[in-house]
Amino acid sequence: MTPMIDIVFQLIIFFLVCTEVASLDRVENLELPFATEAIPEEHKAGRLVISIDSKNQIWIGGRVRSLEEIERYLKIEKERDKSKADEKTSQPVLIQADKFSDWRNVQNVITIASKLQFWQLSFSAKKEQ
Amino acid sequence: MARKPKAFESAECALQMTPMIDIVFQLLIFFLVATKMRVPEGELEAFLPPDQGRPSVSDIDPIQINLRFTAPKGEPAVLFGKTDAGQAMTMIELRDKLKGIGSDPEMREKVPVIINADPSVPYKFVIQTLDYCKKAKFAKVNFAAAGQ
């Protein structure tokens, strides 16, 4: 019996650890829009994630931010690595917005990002089945 | 050598495994069910113009798609051109129209598409429009800047 219990405990610990990792850096209850042409998400190092929920609040790193704070945050990120200046190497930015959030906020974020020369912008969407 | 009493011998083996395994399986099943599996996400590339704020120098008239706000969470009215010319369309009609224009390779490679959405239009319709443009294989899709 003892080896079996060992394995079962291993499994429990595995699932406990997995759940914690998956819930990091995500805003709860975000319903993404559907898109048929969405390509599978790949992990990109150093990607900035900006989330916008259905109440039109903008989140970065688990906190609600104002547009001024976002501009400051992106500016700091930009200045940290000046080598990433041109179109190919600029830091990727992912916008995750709720499908019923206003276009206004997304537009503001895009405007700030393009003003600060972040060229690799993408939107997250759920792939339509 | 005297044999150990029988009662003692059986007490050593009486470590009760079955209830423990029951509980452990309960826990295992609980965590299996409680774990929310992450839904795989996709992404759509946004096309940002490499030059900000400067009007494009090409002579080709862009296709401008205007998404006009109608009702909260409601589908926007779709209009074309700088002056909102023509009849308002639905999203489905827009898809078919874009597919029609995009079937000409000359058109979809050269003519830029500008998506101009009202600030109050729900985000999902803008993404839907971008999705239709991608589906019709347009090479240049842009968003109109705020306040235009």
Side-chain angles (χ1 to χ4, degrees):
Chain A
M1 245 358 149
T2 336
M4 183 189 172
I5 293 166
D6 284 354
I7 286 170
V8 167
F9 271 124
Q10 291 285 350
L11 277 174
I12 291 177
I13 288 165
F14 171 75
F15 279 110
L16 268 174
V17 172
C18 277
T19 31
E20 297 230 347
V21 168
S23 61
L24 275 179
D25 206 31
R26 305 237 148 220
V27 177
E28 288 290 312
N29 303 325
L30 207 73
E31 244 189 278
L32 296 175
F34 286 110
T36 49
E37 299 297 297
I39 47 174
E41 184 188 33
E42 50 182 292
H43 185 77
K44 289 179 188 155
R47 182 170 65 184
L48 309 173
V49 180
I50 300 175
S51 311
I52 299 166
D53 66 13
S54 55
K55 291 178 195 137
N56 291 317
Q57 291 167 318
I58 310 174
W59 298 72
I60 296 178
R63 277 171 54 199
V64 181
R65 314 277 174 149
S66 67
L67 281 174
E68 289 77 40
E69 282 177 302
I70 287 161
E71 186 157 0
R72 214 176 311 137
Y73 171 79
L74 289 180
K75 214 175 256 170
I76 291 166
E77 286 291 331
K78 192 78 202 177
E79 263 158 30
R80 212 169 54 180
D81 199 346
K82 286 209 167 128
S83 64
K84 296 174 176 170
D86 64 278
E87 216 169 319
K88 291 258 167 60
T89 57
S90 90
Q91 213 169 358
V93 176
L94 179 72
I95 299 179
Q96 300 180 309
D98 189 275
K99 59 181 181 182
F100 287 120
S101 66
D102 284 350
W103 172 240
R104 182 183 293 117
N105 268 332
V106 185
Q107 195 176 30
N108 289 336
V109 172
I110 295 175
T111 311
I112 292 171
S114 71
K115 200 165 73 186
L116 294 171
Q117 307 190 315
F118 284 92
W119 302 126
Q120 291 195 56
L121 205 69
S122 51
F123 303 111
S124 56
K126 241 185 262 175
K127 184 131 176 84
E128 222 154 9
Q129 300 296 318
Chain B
M1 217 202 224
R3 258 181 75 89
K4 284 178 192 164
K6 250 226 159 96
F8 182 75
E9 208 173 18
S10 66
E12 203 174 28
C13 309
L15 218 154
Q16 293 202 349
M17 277 306 181
T18 336
M20 186 188 171
I21 293 169
D22 284 354
I23 286 171
V24 166
F25 271 126
Q26 291 285 349
L27 277 174
L28 183 66
I29 288 165
F30 170 78
F31 279 112
L32 271 175
V33 172
T35 317
K36 232 192 264 169
M37 287 296 161
R38 246 188 77 192
V39 192
E41 277 174 15
E43 28 179 293
L44 276 179
E45 299 266 332
F47 310 81
L48 283 186
D51 273 322
Q52 185 243 333
R54 205 193 302 161
S56 74
V57 281
S58 77
D59 314 322
I60 311 162
D61 263 343
I63 302 168
Q64 184 166 341
I65 304 167
N66 303 313
L67 304 177
R68 297 279 172 242
F69 176 76
T70 52
K73 295 193 179 184
E75 203 179 288
V78 183
L79 290 152
F80 272 85
K82 282 190 178 131
T83 52
D84 281 1
Q87 189 96 38
M89 292 192 290
T90 61
M91 292 302 284
I92 299 293
E93 285 166 346
L94 171 70
R95 184 188 66 190
D96 296 338
K97 178 151 185 174
L98 285 175
K99 205 189 264 176
I101 302 171
S103 61
D104 179 4
E106 183 87 353
M107 286 292 274
R108 68 175 185 234
E109 294 297 329
K110 289 199 179 137
V111 181
V113 177
I114 296 172
I115 301 173
N116 180 17
D118 278 355
S120 315
V121 168
Y123 171 70
K124 80 171 199 183
F125 295 110
V126 183
I127 287 298
Q128 216 167 42
T129 310
L130 180 62
D131 195 35
Y132 293 157
C133 293
K134 279 226 140 180
K135 209 182 221 170
K137 298 195 174 64
F138 280 99
K140 299 173 197 162
V141 186
N142 282 317
F143 295 107
Q148 260 185 16

